[in-house]
């Protein structure tokens, strides 16, 4: 039988709106939009003496709503009989007639929102006399909510006063109405069994993925609500230029919008860059029907979170849809109706979030690609996001399967500031502590280089507070300090009971964790069976003086006290983050003198961080041996890895250093933009001295050189870029304009932007950005990313300079009439997930372009 709770939502706006309008007085000819508050009871037509409907006709409106809802159920699927349908109609008519009695004004009603407005209408309407059963009462509630939503939206449309007084609520109502229509198109008629399970599954997704474990927060506040913790980062994609060559810049889009313009996306991102957090956010947003986020491409869809390290098991086949939930250990898997997952995917409602291709062994990746290809072909029209570290698989690895590639960008200066302030609020720390850290990050090049992703920023926040402002200045020292804080101070301050295992000395914990980490790395694994962990611990105990301590007790102590291990599923164990696994494994590799093993695996992407961190742990002679071996590898990865490793070594023989630099020189100048990014990541500041200057580079090469320096992103890189600010290449000028938020806002504006032609697009996301551009005398092409206030744009943008405006955001309900404040404006590009309604009242003569976020140019 069809699910009765969905029927009220299955009446489209095109059907509800005319019925709602019949409840109100029709404005006379020539009447304009109302600019004053009006009591709702004065608007209803059935209390008016003018020609119109009567209370009897309210019953007709209610009857039509009931009939349309039941018609959506289809023949043979009626959830209530004719008598109960009449009872629902009577109860609904009685409730809607309350519109003629309530004393609130229109703007007050809109401020209540649909839920509270329904309660206002329900006041004084007892349902007992109507004898509604369970299904009848549910249908009454759903139809009343649908009618209330459209009534409130109608009130916002007839009155400019309401739109101004209740701006946020008006925008939400408009989004809700659009969302309900999208949901109606996307949501098929479901059985009560499927619909009921889908609700329970959505609750499971919200509970399982609705919080984040934020590094360094005390035990009581480690779980951070996702809606407060999520930081919108940028994803970039290469833009095809003229003559088939890659263009001079990478196009950027908010990471959560990557699926708005393309159904299948392969997303690359470094360790700790936020890939898994993005997966969680998309899953929770889709499960919540995404009404409040304006992401209509997620409405009515069902998320499937598929961490590759969980679903790829030795000797086992990859799961197909019916086994997805069981493969990830979802507790609701046993309640899943037979064939439910396949029905969802055949209806093109799935959001499949495949996280961590890099976290499975290299010899399983080809099988994973075949699995993805089969699923995409068998179930077209669903949304797919596949994530990986940057170098795990070749470029265009999934291009033949129709996936477009994006890369998560490093955090901008504004992103870092937002994260640091949120972290300190969540930790109940003084605001001044966070501001002190931000000053240190901005003024110290080493810290600025570390603060590139959420994981590293979280570490810096925790250590800065814990060590009263003293911070490590390199990656190895940062990890070491973090381990000390986790393994010593966390255990001591939490005062864990003895039932959670013996209290182990710091050195003992590190030694045991190293053994687990190094075993995982050597075996190409991200997690191990609990039995394997117990076996490794048991072997190590005698040498650690713990022969009389049971491995079970020691395992429990490491799991509950260290904060570094976790059990993602029953009888499985892994590290809290892969970065800690790589750090600890590299440390043991150096202790065991496994240098040849490290070099022999240097060409494998998942060993890259292990090799670099081993160089940081190694003594000078050991590091020189590894660096020399890396330069001898025939694979180009060896020379790049050696150059990156040089930044981790405190002391190195000049001859070895010269060989490393010579190897890096073979990659200079970069031949492609992808090679430029790889060179920047490997060489850092070292590569800046090897790059040609503006006088030595032709137009194409100069753009790639600038791209490299932007990728380095350091203080020295900013000084290097200043030399290119007068270069005549349009590609160079575009790249320089786009790189603003990679560096300090004020300084970059002063030293670079101020010297560029004002025609190139610059992105703004804060009021401070707008003020900075105003201090430069204005800008011709501005790209607004994120929520904005009309007053800020009209007051802070220099009106006479603006020619082109891009709005990548949710737009104000009053439309775009405010653009008339810019007399020279020629084009407006609207890149948000919206519809043509935003064009209402757009100034004459302004060319309006509406496109999905990923199709911008």
């Amino acid at each position: 039988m069809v699910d009765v709770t969905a029927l009220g939502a299955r009446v489209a706006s095109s059907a509800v709106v005319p019925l709602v309008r019949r409840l109100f007085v029709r404005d006379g000819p020539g009447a304009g939009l109302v600019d004053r508050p009006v009591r709702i009871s004065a608007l209803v037509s059935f209390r008016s003496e003018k020609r119109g409907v009567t209370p009897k006709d309210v019953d007709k409106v209610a009857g039509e709503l009931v009939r349309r809802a039941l018609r959506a159920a289809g023949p043979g699927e009626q959830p209530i009989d004719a008598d109960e349908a009449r009872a629902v109609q009577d109860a609904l008519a009685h409730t809607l007639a309350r519109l003629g009695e309530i004393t609130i004004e229109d703007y007050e009603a809109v401020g209540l929102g649909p839920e509270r407005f329904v309660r206002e209408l329900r006041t004084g309407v007892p349902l007992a006399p109507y004898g509604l059963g369970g299904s009848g009462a549910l249908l009454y509630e759903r139809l009343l909510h649908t009618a209330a939503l459209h009534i409130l939206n109608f009130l916002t449309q007839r009155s400019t006063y309401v739109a101004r007084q209740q701006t946020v609520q008006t925008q939400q109502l408009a989004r809700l109405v659009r969302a309900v229509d999208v949901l109606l198109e996307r949501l098929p008629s479901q059985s009560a069994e499927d619909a009921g399970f889908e609700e329970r599954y959505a609750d499971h997704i919200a509970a399982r993925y609705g919080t984040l474990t934020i590094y360094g927060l005390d035990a009581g506040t480690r779980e951070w609500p996702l809606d407060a913790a999520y930081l919108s980062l940028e994803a970039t994609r290469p833009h095809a230029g003229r003559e088939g060559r890659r263009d001079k810049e990478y196009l950027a889009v908010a990471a959560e919008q990557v699926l708005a313009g393309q159904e299948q996306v392969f997303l690359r991102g470094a360790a700790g860059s936020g890939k898994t957090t993005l997966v969680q956010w998309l899953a929770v947003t889709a499960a919540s029907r995404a009404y409040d986020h304006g992401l209509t491409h997620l409405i009515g869809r069902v998320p499937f979170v598929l961490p590759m390290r969980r679903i790829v098991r030795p000797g086992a086949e990859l799961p197909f849809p019916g086994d997805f939930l069981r493969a990830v250990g979802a507790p609701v898997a046993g309640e899943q109706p037979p064939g439910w997952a396949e029905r969802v995917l055949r209806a093109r409602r799935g959001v499949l979030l495949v996280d961590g291709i890099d976290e499975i062994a290299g010899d399983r990746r080809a099988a994973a690609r075949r699995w993805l290809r089969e699923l995409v072909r068998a179930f077209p029209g669903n949304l797919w996001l596949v994530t990986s570290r940057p170098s795990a698989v070749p470029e265009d690895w999934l291009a033949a399967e129709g996936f477009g590639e994006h890369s998560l960008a490093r955090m901008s200066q504004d992103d870092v500031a937002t994260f640091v302030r949120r972290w300190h609020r969540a930790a109940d720390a003084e605001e001044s502590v966070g501001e002190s850290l931000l000053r240190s990050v901005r003024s110290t090049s080493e810290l600025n280089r570390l603060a590139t992703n959420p994981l590293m920023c979280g570490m810096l926040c925790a250590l800065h507070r814990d060590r009263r402002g003293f911070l490590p200045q390199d990656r190895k020292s940062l990890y070491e300090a973090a381990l000390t804080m986790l393994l010593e101070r966390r255990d001591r301050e939490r005062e864990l009971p003895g039932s959670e295992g013996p209290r182990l000395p710091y050195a003992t914990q590190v030694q045991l964790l190293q053994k687990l980490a190094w075993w995982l790395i050597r075996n190409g694994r991200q997690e191990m069976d609990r039995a394997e962990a117990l076996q490794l611990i048991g072997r190590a105990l005698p040498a650690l003086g713990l022969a009389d301590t049971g491995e079970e007790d020691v395992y429990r102590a490491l799991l509950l006290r260290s904060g570094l291990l976790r059990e993602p599923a029953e009888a499985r164990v892994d590290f809290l983050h892969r970065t800690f696994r790589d750090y600890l494994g590299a440390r043991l590799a150096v202790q065991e003198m496994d240098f040849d093993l490290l070099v022999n695996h240097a060409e494998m992407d998942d060993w890259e961080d292990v090799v670099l961190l081993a160089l940081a742990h190694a003594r000078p002679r050991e590091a020189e041996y590894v660096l020399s071996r890396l330069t001898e590898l025939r694979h180009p990865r060896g020379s790049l890895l050696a150059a990156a490793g040089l930044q981790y070594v405190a002391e190195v023989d000049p001859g070895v250093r010269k060989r490393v630099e010579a190897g890096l020189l073979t990659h200079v100048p970069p031949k492609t933009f992808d090679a430029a990014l790889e060179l920047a990541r490997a060489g850092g500041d070292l590569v800046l001295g090897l790059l040609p200057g503006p006088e030595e580079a032709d137009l194409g090469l100069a753009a790639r050189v600038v791209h490299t320096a932007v990728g380095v992103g350091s203080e020295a890189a900013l000084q290097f870029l200043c030399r290119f600010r007068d270069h005549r290449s349009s590609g160079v000028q575009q790249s320089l304009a786009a790189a603003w938020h990679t560096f300090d806002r004020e300084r970059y504006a002063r030293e670079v932007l101020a010297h560029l032609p004002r025609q190139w697009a610059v992105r703004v996301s804060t009021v401070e950005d707008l003020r900075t551009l105003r201090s430069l005398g204005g800008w011709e092409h501005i790209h607004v990313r994120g929520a904005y206030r009309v007053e800020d744009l009209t007051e802070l943008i220099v009106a006479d300079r603006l020619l082109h405006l891009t709005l990548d955001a949710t737009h104000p309900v009053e439309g775009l009439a405010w653009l008339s404040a810019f007399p020279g404006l020629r084009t407006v590009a609207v890149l948000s997930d919206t519809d043509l309604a935003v064009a209402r009242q757009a100034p004459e003569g302004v060319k309006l372009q509406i496109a999905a976020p990923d199709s911008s140019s």
Side-chain angles (χ1 to χ4, degrees), residues 44 131 139 152 189 227 247 259 281-282 366 370 402 416 526 551 578 595 622 648 670 694 734 736 753 786 794 827:
V44 296
L139 181 57
L152 294 182
S189 180
D227 55 358
D247 202 347
L259 292 174
W281 192 89
L282 290 171
R370 287 194 299 273
V416 172
Q526 293 298 319
E551 58 262 31
R578 177 173 164 174
F595 302 116
E622 296 167 341
Y648 288 75
Q734 290 179 56
L736 289 175
L753 287 186
T794 54
T827 63

Side-chain angles (χ1 to χ4, degrees), residues 10-293:
R10 297 195 65 79
V11 186
S13 295
S14 58
V16 180
V17 170
L19 296 174
V20 165
R21 290 183 181 275
R22 286 167 56 183
L23 299 173
F24 295 94
V25 175
R26 181 175 299 177
D27 292 326
L33 289 175
V34 180
D35 195 25
R36 57 184 174 80
V38 181
R39 182 172 291 188
I40 291 178
S41 58
L43 296 173
V44 296
S45 54
F46 52 85
R47 284 182 58 90
S48 172
E49 295 180 358
K50 297 180 181 179
R51 184 171 178 269
V53 297
T54 66
K56 179 180 178 181
D57 291 310
V58 178
D59 184 65
K60 292 182 179 179
V61 170
E64 186 64 21
L65 284 170
V66 173
R67 281 191 294 276
R68 288 179 180 271
L70 294 178
R71 191 182 305 159
E77 295 285 337
Q78 299 295 308
I80 58 177
D81 59 26
D83 290 339
E84 188 154 22
R86 179 66 214 190
V88 171
Q89 176 180 335
D90 291 342
L92 186 60
H94 188 179
T95 309
L96 292 176
R98 282 269 301 146
L99 290 167
E101 302 169 7
I102 57 179
T103 59
I104 61 175
E105 295 181 329
D106 49 5
Y107 79 95
E108 294 173 318
V110 170
L112 290 175
E115 301 293 342
R116 288 195 293 163
F117 184 58
V118 164
R119 290 200 292 271
E120 178 71 24
L121 291 177
R122 284 278 309 272
T123 302
V125 182
L127 293 184
Y130 300 100
L132 297 179
S135 294
L138 284 174
L139 181 57
Y140 161 80
E141 294 286 355
R142 295 306 305 155
L143 285 173
L144 180 58
H145 187 279
T146 299
L149 171 62
H150 286 279
I151 288 168
L152 294 182
N153 193 50
F154 167 76
L155 295 176
T156 66
Q157 293 174 339
R158 70 172 298 279
S159 172
T160 56
Y161 180 84
V162 172
R164 285 200 310 272
Q165 292 296 314
Q166 303 287 3
T167 304
V168 174
Q169 292 86 343
T170 298
Q171 293 176 5
Q172 289 175 341
L173 286 167
R175 287 199 298 270
L176 278 170
V177 170
R178 289 198 299 269
V180 168
D181 284 342
V182 171
L183 182 63
L184 177 60
E185 293 175 7
R186 194 167 285 155
L187 193 63
S189 180
Q190 293 178 295
S191 69
E193 185 182 20
D194 276 7
F197 174 73
E198 221 164 274
E199 285 192 13
R200 294 192 298 278
Y201 178 62
D203 291 340
H204 158 70
I205 291 291
R208 183 165 185 168
Y209 301 108
T211 58
L212 292 177
T213 301
I214 298 299
Y215 182 87
L217 295 182
D218 295 334
T221 56
R222 287 180 62 80
E223 295 298 327
W224 202 359
L226 184 64
D227 55 358
Y230 181 71
L231 179 67
S232 177
L233 300 176
E234 283 190 343
T236 61
R237 66 177 177 89
H239 176 54
R242 292 184 298 272
E243 300 177 3
R245 295 183 305 168
R246 188 145 293 178
D247 202 347
K248 307 302 190 290
E249 69 173 41
Y250 277 53
L251 298 180
V253 63
E256 62 272 15
Q257 289 276 11
V258 292
L259 292 174
Q262 186 169 9
E263 290 182 347
Q264 296 156 212
V265 172
F266 184 69
L267 181 69
R268 299 178 190 262
S273 60
K275 300 185 296 295
T276 299
T277 302
L278 175 62
V279 163
Q280 288 186 227
W281 192 89
L282 290 171
V284 172
T285 301
S288 68
R289 297 281 162 91
Y291 288 162
D292 295 330
H293 299 282

Side-chain angles (χ1 to χ4, degrees), residues 203-402:
D203 291 340
H204 158 70
I205 291 291
R208 183 165 185 168
Y209 301 108
T211 58
L212 292 177
T213 301
I214 298 299
Y215 182 87
L217 295 182
D218 295 334
T221 56
R222 287 180 62 80
E223 295 298 327
W224 202 359
L226 184 64
D227 55 358
Y230 181 71
L231 179 67
S232 177
L233 300 176
E234 283 190 343
T236 61
R237 66 177 177 89
H239 176 54
R242 292 184 298 272
E243 300 177 3
R245 295 183 305 168
R246 188 145 293 178
D247 202 347
K248 307 302 190 290
E249 69 173 41
Y250 277 53
L251 298 180
V253 63
E256 62 272 15
Q257 289 276 11
V258 292
L259 292 174
Q262 186 169 9
E263 290 182 347
Q264 296 156 212
V265 172
F266 184 69
L267 181 69
R268 299 178 190 262
S273 60
K275 300 185 296 295
T276 299
T277 302
L278 175 62
V279 163
Q280 288 186 227
W281 192 89
L282 290 171
V284 172
T285 301
S288 68
R289 297 281 162 91
Y291 288 162
D292 295 330
H293 299 282
L295 303 178
T296 56
H297 60 286
L298 296 180
I299 293 173
R301 295 190 183 269
V302 178
F304 295 93
V305 181
L306 302 170
M308 290 302 290
R309 64 164 148 186
R310 297 291 315 283
I311 66 175
V312 177
R313 305 292 294 272
E317 294 293 324
L318 285 158
F320 285 104
D323 297 319
F324 281 170
L325 303 190
R326 187 172 291 105
V328 299
V332 297
E335 306 173 36
Q336 178 178 333
W340 168 77
E342 289 83 357
R343 286 192 291 277
V344 167
L345 297 182
R346 288 200 178 95
R348 305 187 174 208
R349 297 177 52 227
V351 183
L352 297 104
L353 304 166
V354 182
D355 190 25
I357 290 293
D358 57 292
E359 296 189 351
I360 60 174
D363 59 359
R364 298 299 305 271
R365 293 174 189 168
R369 181 164 56 180
R370 287 194 299 273
W371 171 72
L372 287 167
R373 182 189 305 126
E374 291 176 14
L375 287 172
V376 168
R377 290 177 179 176
F379 301 102
N382 294 284
L383 301 183
W384 290 83
L385 179 72
V386 180
T387 74
S388 174
R389 287 195 183 189
S391 55
V393 291
E395 185 179 359
D396 295 329
W397 186 65
L398 287 175
E401 286 71 32

